[in-house]
Amino acid sequence: MPRQILLLPLLMSLNAGFVDTAGFLALQGLFTAHVTGNFVTFGASMVLGTSGALAKLLALPVFCLVVIGTRVFSFLLPAIGLPIFRSMLALKVLLLAAGAVCAVHFGPFVEGDSWQAICTGMILVAAMAIQNAAHRIHMGTEPPTTLMTGTTTQIMIDVADVLRGAPATVLTVAKPRLSKMAASVTAFALGCAAGAVLYAKLGTLCFVIPPLIALPAVFLASAEPK
């Protein structure tokens, strides 16, 4: 099996867990990778009067606009000789680097609704939006790299099928899927743990790490335009 099929989704899951957790801690509860979670934290902000409500409200439309823009822009890339998938991941690296610069320069963020925090948060949201779009378009058969609820549900279904001794036709599909999905969840969880620990030790300086994790993925991605 080509190494990119094994390593690329794991690197992306690891990075998503790191960015989501570090962003949540640094930006007053903002989810940067699975932005629908911001509906919950937005409601909590309204009830509790905590900061960051505006950033949480902006996250979903920014995410959606970036996905649309990425999809439209991707069709222009082959005309100038650039591979779509690799270019998308390279742009994600640039956005993560820009987010790191903002986080280090402006952080720590006491107010989640300050323009500095919103700017940093939306750059990170945009980076994760590109990752989501790239995954859905170019890695549709691989487990999701940013949202683990559905993946965990499928893992438990496959575990149940293995335990009950399901027919061979079912297990032939379930066992390989179980391995890939378990690896994806593990990588995401490790990213979350690393994001939490390194934010506690380094503060916003920890945001330097995500672009470094994301960079190898650019070279692992297929260079073929699609």
Side-chain angles (χ1 to χ4, degrees):
M1 181 177 291
R3 62 175 182 164
Q4 62 264 34
I5 296 177
L6 293 171
L7 293 179
L8 184 55
L10 296 182
L11 281 174
M12 293 170 72
S13 294
L14 179 72
N15 215 11
F18 192 110
V19 173
D20 215 26
T21 302
F24 185 87
L25 294 171
L27 298 166
Q28 304 297 321
L30 176 69
F31 287 114
T32 56
H34 61 290
V35 293
T36 51
N38 291 309
F39 289 141
V40 176
T41 54
F42 173 76
S45 295
M46 291 294 93
V47 172
L48 300 175
T50 54
S51 69
L54 179 58
K56 297 175 181 68
L57 191 62
L58 288 173
L60 184 59
V62 168
F63 183 92
C64 294
L65 288 172
V66 171
V67 170
I68 292 170
T70 300
R71 180 61 166 168
V72 172
F73 181 67
S74 69
F75 289 108
L76 304 176
L77 294 173
I80 57 176
L82 293 176
I84 297 174
F85 189 25
R86 184 170 287 178
S87 297
M88 293 168 78
L89 295 183
L91 180 57
K92 184 189 80 169
V93 172
L94 292 176
L95 286 171
L96 288 174
V101 170
C102 289
V104 173
H105 180 69
F106 295 123
F109 302 101
V110 178
E111 291 294 328
D113 283 331
S114 66
W115 71 266
Q116 296 94 333
I118 291 175
C119 179
T120 304
M122 294 310 106
I123 291 172
L124 296 175
V125 166
M128 290 295 99
I130 291 175
Q131 174 167 317
N132 275 276
H135 180 277
R136 181 59 64 96
I137 296 167
H138 296 274
M139 299 168 56
T141 60
E142 297 297 320
T145 59
T146 58
L147 184 60
M148 296 295 146
T149 305
T151 303
T152 304
T153 301
Q154 186 63 59
I155 288 172
M156 295 304 107
I157 292 171
D158 289 342
V159 167
D161 284 341
V162 171
L163 291 176
R164 73 181 178 88
T169 53
V170 174
L171 294 180
T172 300
V173 176
K175 286 184 176 180
R177 180 174 59 205
L178 178 58
S179 298
K180 287 203 300 184
M181 288 190 167
S184 180
V185 171
T186 300
F188 186 87
L190 289 173
C192 292
V197 170
L198 291 176
Y199 178 76
K201 292 186 175 297
L202 303 176
T204 55
L205 189 61
C206 75
F207 285 97
V208 172
I209 295 172
L212 298 179
I213 297 174
L215 185 59
V218 177
F219 300 99
L220 289 171
S222 170
E224 294 299 319
K226 293 184 180 179

